[in-house]
Amino acid sequence: MGVRIHPMNTGFIKVDKGAYITMGRNYGEKVEVPDWAFLVTDGRERILIDTGMCGTERADWHHPGSYQPEGHRIDERLRGLGIGPDEIDAVVFTHLHWDHCSNMKLFRKAKFYVHSKELRFALDPHILYLKSYESKRLGISPPFDGVEFEEVSGEYQLNRYMLLFPTPGHSPGHQSVAVETDEGVYVIAGDAIFSDENLEPDEERGLPFTPMGRYVDVFDMFESMERIFRMADRGRILPGHGRCVGRRGHYP
Ligand SMILES: [Zn+2]
């Protein structure tokens, strides 16, 4: 069997379109976006990219109106594919925002990969990002509390078909994953490319893509988007919150 990517929708998040998706435009418009995690497998190894979001109560605290329907938790999604949590060999985190790493401790046998910059920031976030990382300073416990990670910095060839590469900007140590398949190279972008709108050309600015609204560094964000567009064809970019991702049950 060739390499295959299975997207798994772990719930829905309500965001302000201008603040999160389309930089400088559509402020005040609330939209609901899916929250994706991915299983990548060659039939032997089973690797997750992110573990998705938490249950409705906590999700609604983050972004009012967000929810996780029944059966959407990451382990329930995997069960639908006939896979138990102990069968996951590794989890690669694009970043450690709450909606990408919830329930990670379910995967007791997996190695956890994260960019070292992201881990450092997540353990001691800037005051503006305490909620995003569920910081202990808010009296709660983040999903990664007490977890041991394999830290990567720079590009990292995880196996023969997966390359992790830094795409900072949305968060300080964000990374994306290029997956070589029989259909060409797919990029699992994480939030370095947030949603469908970001894949569209920005006519007004004369750009081949639409810059995102949510970032810690606008220039890093821009460069990371450029890099992803160089590495994958437009149809082969899988945004972290793209409705387009659900078009297919698996890639290829
Ligand atoms: Zn994020």
Side-chain angles (χ1 to χ4, degrees), residues 27-76:
Y27 285 96
E29 190 185 322
K30 298 276 185 245
V31 291
E32 192 177 288
V33 293
D35 188 66
W36 296 104
F38 298 85
L39 171 74
V40 182
T41 181
D42 62 356
R44 289 180 301 118
E45 266 184 314
R46 297 183 173 107
I47 298 165
L48 288 182
I49 314 298
D50 293 339
T51 54
M53 65 188 275
C54 51
T56 298
E57 196 182 325
R58 176 68 68 91
D60 182 72
W61 170 74
H62 280 286
H63 289 263
S66 304
Y67 59 100
Q68 184 176 58
E70 211 170 303
H72 280 55
R73 207 176 53 211
I74 184 69
D75 56 317
E76 297 169 325

Side-chain angles (χ1 to χ4, degrees), residues 20-206:
Y20 280 80
I21 306 179
T22 50
M23 187 172 96
R25 295 180 200 130
N26 307 307
Y27 285 96
E29 190 185 322
K30 298 276 185 245
V31 291
E32 192 177 288
V33 293
D35 188 66
W36 296 104
F38 298 85
L39 171 74
V40 182
T41 181
D42 62 356
R44 289 180 301 118
E45 266 184 314
R46 297 183 173 107
I47 298 165
L48 288 182
I49 314 298
D50 293 339
T51 54
M53 65 188 275
C54 51
T56 298
E57 196 182 325
R58 176 68 68 91
D60 182 72
W61 170 74
H62 280 286
H63 289 263
S66 304
Y67 59 100
Q68 184 176 58
E70 211 170 303
H72 280 55
R73 207 176 53 211
I74 184 69
D75 56 317
E76 297 169 325
R77 280 301 191 196
L78 282 167
R79 196 184 309 143
L81 296 169
I83 296 167
D86 288 348
E87 295 176 89
I88 297 299
D89 302 298
V91 186
V92 175
F93 292 98
T94 59
H95 62 310
L96 294 174
H97 286 168
W98 66 279
D99 54 325
H100 292 260
C101 65
S102 285
N103 300 306
M104 60 185 287
K105 285 177 183 163
L106 292 172
F107 304 100
R108 291 172 303 185
K109 297 197 172 153
K111 272 189 177 180
F112 297 128
Y113 292 88
V114 73
H115 195 287
S116 54
K117 254 192 196 169
E118 184 69 11
L119 183 59
R120 226 176 309 135
F121 190 83
L123 292 171
D124 186 18
H126 186 281
I127 191 158
L128 294 174
Y129 284 88
L130 296 180
K131 251 180 124 170
S132 303
Y133 292 95
E134 301 192 340
S135 169
K136 282 183 167 175
R137 282 155 71 191
L138 298 172
I140 54 177
S141 170
F144 46 82
D145 188 28
V147 167
E148 285 225 7
F149 286 93
E150 309 285 320
E151 293 181 43
V152 301
S153 52
E155 285 189 8
Y156 183 75
Q157 191 77 44
L158 185 74
N159 57 24
R160 96 192 135 76
Y161 53 88
M162 284 170 85
L163 174 75
L164 321 188
F165 61 101
T167 46
H170 172 73
S171 71
H174 194 285
Q175 60 183 351
S176 301
V177 183
V179 184
E180 252 187 88
T181 74
D182 294 343
E183 240 177 41
V185 175
Y186 278 89
V187 172
I188 297 173
D191 287 357
I193 296 193
F194 201 84
S195 199
D196 301 36
E197 291 84 348
N198 304 109
L199 298 171
E200 301 298 326
D202 185 333
E203 312 282 0
E204 210 177 303
R205 297 188 182 102

